[in-house]
Amino acid sequence: MITAEGYHVPVLLKESVDGLEIKPDGVYVDVTFGGGGHSREILSRLGAGGRLYSFDQDEDAERNIVSDERFTFVRSNFRYLKNWMRYYGIEEIDGLLADLGVSSHHFDDETRGFSFRFDAPLDMRMNKRSGKTAADIVNTYGEEQLSDIFYIYGELKNARRIASAIVKARAEKRIETTSDLLQSSMINGQWSMVNDQSSMVNGQWKKDAAKLFQALRIEVNHEMDALKEMLNGARDLICEGGRLSVITYHSLEDRLVKNMMKAGNVEGKVKQDFFGRTESPFRQIGGKVIVPDEEEQVRNPRSRSAKLRIGEKVKK
């Protein structure tokens, strides 16, 4: 059995929960339960009248459920935040925490296909019960569609070249595993992800391979659409004076969170009042992002790309 500690090491634990300014009798939501680290910290600060609802769509996370009458586990994608809060009769919440991206558990599980460190079935689904796998996508999407995914979600400069190599490779043999995907990205024995041999020597191919896997994972799990829906739901649910605390790991996520806190919408469309002042339901606490200190980055390598933004719901 996977323990909560082994499942995932929480990133920016103290900072992200401090940012919620927990009220002992408040209602809070952790939309990324995982190993339960952030949820346990929130519960430790709640009083007898407080409530915590935690979301996770991965059945593996259920092994870490907290035994506490103040706690409710919701096995669902966080995009359905508003629906579930309505189901539980919750009209307002005092704060919401999100630790986005992929947990340590998913990267370390050799069977899930999230990492190219292991030769595993090319799955990448957070919810193993439904949806297309990464293998389905690389074997059925058109070349242009694959290229767009690699360019937009992975920010790969050689997106077209990679997509072309994959389409040619799958014509010979279906791409089933992580190793198959890496091999299919080669042209005449050279990685299509890099431009020259020096990139191979300097390890650039590993960075680009990580971006390729990231792009597929985002597409498989519809992560950007889910994040947009969750942020819109959080905006509507958080009460005046309530807090939104979000940890991001790549620019696509961070841009959406930044837009929500700056403009009150994921598109970043700023509205101004008669006097030209920006109208937004949030004000960003501290005015800048919070990043892990050097000690945490050494202790938890996953935290190196983490950014924490904290917003407070302002009066209308």
Side-chain angles (χ1 to χ4, degrees):
M1 178 175 178
I2 301 169
T3 63
E5 291 76 15
Y7 187 102
H8 177 66
V9 180
V11 173
L12 290 165
L13 177 62
K14 183 179 185 300
E15 295 86 346
S16 59
V17 179
D18 282 352
L20 291 175
E21 288 200 334
I22 302 290
K23 299 175 183 176
D25 61 347
V27 178
Y28 294 88
V29 178
D30 175 0
V31 295
T32 49
F33 178 69
H38 289 103
S39 284
R40 285 181 173 81
E41 182 63 25
I42 293 171
L43 285 168
S44 74
R45 305 187 191 192
L46 286 176
R51 291 290 303 175
L52 173 64
Y53 296 86
S54 294
F55 285 66
D56 206 298
Q57 62 183 325
D58 191 343
E59 62 184 15
D60 288 354
E62 292 189 58
R63 303 174 185 179
N64 307 315
I65 287 179
V66 181
S67 179
D68 191 310
E69 61 183 12
R70 301 168 300 169
F71 174 81
T72 299
F73 180 79
V74 184
R75 185 176 172 183
S76 176
N77 190 306
F78 60 43
R79 71 189 308 165
Y80 304 115
L81 169 67
K82 287 186 70 174
N83 304 63
W84 281 103
M85 290 299 96
R86 189 181 303 116
Y87 174 80
Y88 286 110
I90 305 298
E91 296 182 1
E92 285 188 333
I93 61 176
D94 294 284
L96 181 145
L97 185 146
D99 181 5
L100 304 175
V102 182
S103 71
S104 311
H105 163 68
H106 289 123
F107 279 129
D108 294 338
D109 188 337
E110 299 182 19
T111 68
R112 301 290 291 272
F114 284 97
S115 173
F116 56 86
R117 289 182 293 144
F118 313 109
D119 185 14
L122 198 57
D123 194 316
M124 297 194 192
R125 290 174 300 172
M126 298 287 192
N127 182 351
K128 293 184 286 187
R129 297 170 296 167
S130 64
K132 293 180 178 179
T133 66
D136 293 330
I137 288 172
V138 297
N139 284 289
T140 63
Y141 279 23
E143 183 175 327
E144 185 174 354
Q145 194 174 5
L146 287 174
S147 176
D148 288 344
I149 290 168
F150 301 153
Y151 183 76
I152 296 170
Y153 294 155
E155 300 177 299
L156 284 161
K157 296 178 181 178
N158 292 336
R160 291 190 180 279
R161 192 177 177 193
I162 298 168
S164 176
I166 287 173
V167 169
K168 289 178 181 177
R170 77 188 190 194
E172 300 294 327
K173 175 190 173 184
R174 180 177 167 84
I175 300 168
E176 298 280 7
T177 68
T178 53
S179 293
D180 289 343
L181 177 60
L182 291 178
Q183 288 298 319
S184 72
S185 301
M186 299 183 73
I187 300 174
N188 298 325
Q190 297 294 320
W191 293 98
S192 59
M193 286 178 277
V194 298
N195 292 316
D196 52 46
Q197 191 62 31
S198 64
S199 296
M200 287 292 293
V201 174
N202 295 327
Q204 180 62 40
W205 75 273
K206 287 186 178 180
K207 295 179 182 179
D208 285 349
K211 291 180 179 179
L212 174 63
F213 274 62
Q214 171 186 292
L216 279 173
R217 189 201 76 225
I218 290 173
E219 175 66 15
V220 166
N221 297 289
H222 308 288
E223 291 181 28
M224 293 300 103
D225 290 337
L227 178 55
K228 290 175 184 178
E229 290 184 40
M230 185 276 286
L231 289 172
N232 287 333
R235 175 196 60 206
D236 298 340
L237 284 166
I238 295 174
C239 65
E240 290 183 3
R243 295 290 185 91
L244 174 63
S245 180
V246 186
I247 303 167
T248 64
Y249 295 89
H250 58 77
S251 60
L252 298 175
E253 295 172 339
D254 189 57
R255 188 178 303 120
L256 295 179
V257 176
K258 180 180 179 180
N259 285 345
M260 177 56 70
M261 293 190 182
K262 178 181 179 181
N265 56 74
V266 293
E267 295 82 15
K269 296 178 180 177
V270 176
K271 297 180 181 179
Q272 296 181 328
D273 63 15
F274 179 79
F275 300 100
R277 294 173 297 197
T278 299
E279 291 185 325
S280 174
F282 291 103
R283 70 177 183 92
Q284 185 166 317
I285 303 300
K288 61 181 181 179
V289 299
I290 299 170
V291 297
D293 58 26
E294 186 175 344
E295 182 181 344
E296 178 168 2
Q297 290 184 43
V298 172
R299 184 176 68 252
N300 185 4
R302 179 176 178 267
S303 71
R304 289 172 185 165
S305 59
K307 293 181 179 180
L308 169 64
R309 293 184 186 272
I310 302 167
E312 180 180 50
K313 189 79 171 285
V314 298
K315 293 182 179 180
K316 296 180 180 179

